[in-house]
Amino acid sequence: MEDQSIIIQKMLMQATLAANLDALKVYIPDIYEEFKSYQPQSSGAAIDENGQINLFNNDAFVYEDAKEFAKQQVALFIKDPAMMTYTLDHQEDKDIYFDHAHILKKISHKRKNDVKETLKRPIDEDKIDCVCMIGAGLGYQIEELFNQKNIINFFLCEPSKDVFYAMLHCIELRGIIEGCISLGGTFTVRIGGSSAGIINAISNMLHQQGHFNLSRMFFFRHYLSDTTTDTIKLIREIGHRWTAGWGFMEDEIISITHTLTNIQSGYKICKKEHLNNNKIATKPVFIVANGPSFDTSVEFLQKNSDNIIIVSCGTGLKALLKNNIKPDIHIEMERTASLLPYIEVIEKQQEDKDIKLKDIQIIALNTVYPKLLSRFKTPLLLTKLNDAGGKLIQQYDTLNMYAAPDYSNPTVSNTALAVVTSLGFKNLYLVGVDLGYKSSEHHHSKDSIYYDEVFNDFNDTVKADENMKVEGNFCDSVYTTDILDMSRANIEMLLQSNVEVTVSNCSDGAKIAGCTPVPLTELNSFSKFTDKTLLLEELLASSFDNKQFTVKKLDRAISNSFQEVKVILEELMKFINGKIENRNDLSEAFHLQNKLLMKLKSRDEYKVSYWLMQGTFRYFQAYIMTNSYYYDDPIEQKEFITFSLKELRGHINSLYKELVLTYNKPSKA
């Protein structure tokens, strides 16, 4: 007969399961639906020979003493926690064009003048902003950690459904979940999936709860397995992608300015793929960028140019034209006016040559500087998805006909892929899309602007981190940078959402998942492309349109939104106008700001305003929070926070004035 104590334990386990399912039904309903009738396959919670609850897996119990192990593990975590911090590189004063860069640097100087570059132990604080736990086990370490710390945002990843179901029998989640919510945070659960899926889930949590949580984000691995090891490895490799690319309000004002001007100029916008009639969809399209391996591709491109479609990317245009190769389409994405001198260098280069810029068809994001576009033939536009100007187009696209593809940045190669897939092309080849380089001496094509003496400053922007390597396409590894690595990731995600597209990577740079590595020397010859120019013109004529828009309509729309923006900014400022005594108060204020921003994002009518302002708040929140951790003295910490918030308030006021006064004026940079 079964021991009475074991019977009681089993009853308690079932009661705990029932209570947890009730809590999940209220707070995480999708997890509830998955586990309300779950039947474990190979693992589960059971009573071991010592009469304790244990995890039974692969015909054996996992723990000697699960609760004692949890206590010891939490103690070790608090003694030496794994932690990610937020960093921000600052420009030289002479290179600063925008006020946000100046003010963020000012905040940095303030902190460095106040305190040394040493950092107190943030885990010692009672309240912790963010903990990511990889591996749930029976969950006793979760219970122990929450007994010792007030955690605002908790992300739990458990690779095994069986193990998560076992955990539901062991600890009660309702109080833990409600504790996070009461602090303005969230208890997020990710069950199963790949390490890449876990990374994306953490990214989504940060987006929802505020990227200032990156200032000190803790990682707790409960157990070793292939999935948990791969996840930690991937966080180390690509966690940097969480920390940038949010945009600044100044950028978005430029975007609105350029979008209005470009539409006023009559430039047409790319329609969605199903509205296009691409009769040449299977023709080979070569996306040509400016990586160092371009230099070994010249002869191939010259020989095959009549039988392939060549799409040039940004600074790759100069190298192509220098070798007398005319692209069929040129792509640009950068919004600032500072690129105009680069275009002027190309014009000068082509003065005595047959191919002129006016002969080249350009397709650019709606954000691109109008005076740059006007140097080319009949400019056409692609709507940038996460962008204030792009949202302006989408808001007034009442017929829902314009493409706004994901993953169109951060490099021109991303934009080019977004363009050609939106147009419906299926057979793509990447040339010079290296996204890295083997030598810092050869970081771009030798024929590119990067090696012109007049543009020596360009070299300062392309230095790789010698500690940052990725797998090579035709070699073991190449050096890369945060931006190039993010570009690679976005190419991979774009291809995952366009499975019908075949891509051959002919670039001697970084390996790109979803692309087949194929040296140019191994490509078969291409069949003759009769009437290429005519067929391309027909495709572009049918694929772009601007009939829905009038200048007055958009101008009136943005003018009418000024009061809306003013009210929203005032509401966001209210959260930091009150009494903020310390970092915990600051965290609460930033949580409330982000909560309001998320409400704006969820409403279509506010999306222009959301994208206009969200990036500035993310950067300033993350950087102010990061620097506040350096202060041990509460009076000094309060003084720093007061100083930083005053700078932020002044910056926001000046940005609103800039929007009202310059939204329809030429770009300032």
Side-chain angles (χ1 to χ4, degrees):
M1 183 174 176
E2 198 168 39
D3 186 271
Q4 185 69 22
S5 64
I6 293 177
I7 294 173
I8 292 172
Q9 286 213 66
K10 287 183 176 180
M11 291 174 63
L12 287 172
M13 288 166 63
Q14 289 302 313
T16 302
L17 172 65
N20 281 328
L21 288 174
D22 285 344
L24 292 173
K25 187 175 183 179
V26 174
Y27 294 110
I28 318 178
D30 56 331
I31 300 294
Y32 165 77
E33 289 296 330
E34 188 168 2
F35 286 93
K36 65 181 181 181
S37 303
Y38 186 76
Q39 296 297 318
Q41 303 299 310
S42 60
S43 302
I47 309 301
D48 64 19
E49 61 271 17
N50 298 317
Q52 297 177 330
I53 300 175
N54 208 325
L55 179 63
F56 193 74
N57 181 53
N58 293 328
D59 298 322
F61 286 109
V62 172
Y63 302 98
E64 289 186 14
D65 185 326
K67 290 186 178 180
E68 182 60 29
F69 176 77
K71 288 182 180 179
Q72 292 176 8
Q73 193 176 43
V74 169
L76 287 171
F77 171 74
I78 290 176
K79 182 179 179 181
D80 186 23
M83 181 180 73
M84 181 177 183
T85 62
Y86 178 76
T87 59
L88 186 64
D89 294 328
H90 295 286
Q91 300 167 289
E92 296 293 331
D93 289 343
K94 64 181 178 63
D95 298 324
I96 292 179
Y97 290 103
F98 296 107
D99 287 342
H100 68 254
H102 170 72
I103 295 170
L104 287 168
K105 192 171 184 180
K106 189 175 178 181
I107 290 171
S108 174
H109 282 318
K110 164 69 176 168
R111 194 269 299 166
K112 289 178 180 178
N113 288 333
D114 286 348
V115 294
K116 296 178 180 178
E117 285 291 330
T118 54
L119 191 63
K120 70 173 184 175
R121 283 170 42 86
I123 195 69
D124 291 338
E125 296 190 11
D126 174 64
K127 192 180 290 184
I128 306 299
D129 284 339
C130 190
V131 175
C132 294
M133 184 173 287
I134 313 299
L138 294 183
Y140 293 122
Q141 77 285 355
I142 301 173
E143 192 174 60
E144 179 67 19
L145 186 59
F146 273 84
N147 283 339
Q148 297 191 36
K149 300 291 179 183
N150 290 307
I151 300 171
I152 300 172
N153 295 293
F154 187 78
F155 179 94
L156 176 63
C157 162
E158 174 46 63
S160 166
K161 293 181 180 181
D162 278 3
V163 173
F164 182 79
Y165 188 66
M167 186 201 74
L168 294 179
H169 293 74
C170 300
I171 65 167
E172 291 201 17
L173 294 177
R174 182 181 291 271
I176 293 172
I177 294 171
E178 290 176 349
C180 291
I181 294 171
S182 70
L183 295 172
T186 184
F187 186 99
T188 305
V189 177
R190 166 84 183 194
I191 310 298
S194 65
S195 54
I198 294 167
I199 297 295
N200 290 336
I202 295 174
S203 177
N204 184 62
M205 182 271 292
L206 288 168
H207 192 81
Q208 294 295 322
Q209 294 303 116
H211 283 86
F212 64 89
N213 288 290
L214 283 165
S215 56
R216 301 292 181 269
M217 185 162 71
F218 295 96
F219 293 91
F220 187 128
R221 177 160 60 160
H222 177 56
Y223 63 80
L224 295 175
S225 72
D226 289 343
T227 302
T228 63
T229 298
D230 289 345
T231 300
I232 295 298
K233 180 174 181 288
L234 198 59
I235 288 170
R236 289 182 179 133
E237 289 176 352
I238 67 173
H240 63 86
R241 295 176 186 169
W242 296 328
T243 66
W246 307 323
F248 285 96
M249 193 166 169
E250 287 161 292
D251 296 326
E252 304 307 321
I253 292 171
I254 291 173
S255 170
I256 288 171
T257 298
H258 291 174
T259 299
L260 291 171
T261 304
N262 288 331
I263 292 176
Q264 183 178 22
S265 300
Y267 303 155
K268 296 181 178 180
I269 304 166
C270 185
K271 297 190 290 188
K272 292 184 176 180
E273 182 186 350
H274 71 275
L275 298 175
N276 300 332
N277 182 22
N278 192 339
K279 300 175 182 177
I280 53 175
T282 58
K283 290 294 184 181
V285 177
F286 278 70
I287 294 174
V288 182
N290 200 19
S293 70
F294 168 85
D295 294 338
T296 62
S297 310
V298 171
E299 185 178 347
F300 175 90
L301 293 171
Q302 289 172 332
K303 181 180 177 181
N304 292 276
S305 61
D306 289 340
N307 298 325
I308 61 176
I309 298 170
I310 296 176
V311 178
S312 63
C313 300
T315 56
L317 178 62
K318 181 178 183 293
L320 279 169
L321 293 178
K322 190 170 183 178
N323 289 284
N324 203 36
I325 302 169
K326 179 187 175 185
D328 299 290
I329 297 171
H330 176 60
I331 306 292
E332 287 288 356
M333 67 163 290
E334 298 291 349
R335 71 185 69 205
T336 62
S338 59
L339 278 187
L340 192 58
Y342 143 71
I343 293 296
E344 290 168 347
V345 167
I346 299 178
E347 286 182 320
K348 187 172 181 62
Q349 172 187 280
Q350 298 302 113
E351 280 180 353
D352 300 324
K353 298 185 179 181
D354 292 336
I355 305 173
K356 309 295 184 184
L357 290 188
K358 281 293 185 183
D359 302 322
I360 298 172
Q361 175 65 62
I362 189 171
I363 302 177
L365 294 180
N366 55 280
T367 59
V368 171
Y369 186 43
K371 287 187 178 179
L372 185 150
L373 294 179
S374 66
R375 306 295 178 97
F376 291 85
K377 172 185 176 183
T378 321
L380 300 170
L381 306 175
L382 177 72
T383 303
K384 186 176 181 182
L385 180 61
N386 296 329
D387 168 83
K391 293 301 176 186
L392 190 64
I393 291 173
Q394 287 185 297
Q395 187 168 328
Y396 290 92
D397 177 15
T398 56
L399 299 178
N400 193 27
M401 64 186 294
Y402 298 123
D406 279 313
Y407 315 120
S408 63
N409 63 310
T411 72
V412 194
S413 300
N414 299 102
T415 308
L417 278 158
V419 167
V420 298
T421 53
S422 295
L423 290 174
F425 286 106
K426 305 302 180 188
N427 295 319
L428 313 182
Y429 300 80
L430 306 182
V431 173
V433 185
D434 292 2
L435 304 178
Y437 35 92
K438 301 174 185 178
S439 166
S440 60
E441 301 303 314
H442 190 191
H443 44 71
H444 285 80
S445 165
K446 294 290 187 181
D447 290 330
S448 75
I449 193 172
Y450 290 89
Y451 294 92
D452 283 2
E453 289 185 9
V454 70
F455 288 104
N456 270 342
D457 287 348
F458 270 45
N459 283 295
D460 294 333
T461 67
V462 295
K463 292 178 181 177
D465 180 350
E466 293 193 356
N467 295 315
M468 191 172 182
K469 286 186 175 182
V470 293
E471 185 179 357
N473 197 39
F474 301 132
C475 60
D476 289 339
S477 64
V478 294
Y479 297 114
T480 191
T481 66
D482 288 353
I483 293 295
L484 294 178
D485 192 52
M486 190 178 294
S487 175
R488 176 176 65 89
N490 280 358
I491 289 174
E492 292 172 351
M493 288 188 281
L494 182 143
L495 296 180
Q496 287 173 13
S497 59
N498 289 271
V499 294
E500 74 285 357
V501 176
T502 300
V503 185
S504 299
N505 187 0
C506 309
S507 311
D508 191 7
K511 185 175 182 179
I512 303 173
C515 301
T516 304
V518 183
L520 288 172
T521 54
E522 295 183 10
L523 290 179
N524 296 323
S525 59
F526 296 99
S527 58
K528 189 174 182 181
F529 195 164
T530 306
D531 297 328
K532 178 175 74 167
T533 301
L534 178 61
L535 290 170
L536 264 177
E537 287 178 351
E538 289 179 358
L539 170 64
L540 298 181
S542 68
S543 301
F544 290 79
D545 171 271
N546 61 1
K547 293 178 181 177
Q548 288 193 77
F549 297 101
T550 65
V551 180
K552 289 182 179 179
K553 187 180 191 179
L554 286 178
D555 204 19
R556 184 171 60 250
I558 193 64
S559 297
N560 291 343
S561 72
F562 290 159
Q563 184 59 33
E564 172 186 297
V565 171
K566 185 174 185 291
V567 170
I568 292 170
L569 289 175
E570 287 173 349
E571 288 299 310
L572 288 166
M573 288 298 98
K574 283 181 182 178
F575 297 123
I576 59 172
N577 286 337
K579 192 176 182 181
I580 296 181
E581 297 286 336
N582 51 44
R583 199 203 60 75
N584 285 334
D585 291 345
L586 184 68
S587 174
E588 184 177 349
F590 285 169
H591 273 288
L592 292 171
Q593 283 184 331
N594 201 70
K595 187 176 181 180
L596 176 55
L597 286 169
M598 289 300 99
K599 286 182 179 179
L600 297 176
K601 186 183 180 184
S602 68
R603 299 275 296 274
D604 286 341
E605 65 268 34
Y606 293 127
K607 283 188 176 178
V608 175
S609 294
Y610 168 78
W611 285 104
L612 176 67
M613 60 187 67
Q614 61 86 31
T616 286
F617 281 93
R618 291 188 191 281
Y619 275 109
F620 273 86
Q621 286 177 349
Y623 202 56
I624 294 171
M625 183 65 74
T626 294
N627 282 282
S628 71
Y629 272 103
Y630 283 85
Y631 291 85
D632 285 312
D633 184 274
I635 295 174
E636 289 183 345
Q637 185 185 78
K638 179 184 175 182
E639 195 273 331
F640 168 77
I641 291 172
T642 301
F643 168 85
S644 299
L645 295 181
K646 181 180 178 183
E647 291 293 327
L648 175 57
R649 284 192 292 268
H651 182 52
I652 294 297
N653 287 335
S654 67
L655 286 175
Y656 179 73
K657 291 176 183 176
E658 181 178 331
L659 172 66
V660 173
L661 296 174
T662 69
Y663 79 97
N664 58 355
K665 300 291 192 303
S667 176
K668 69 175 182 180

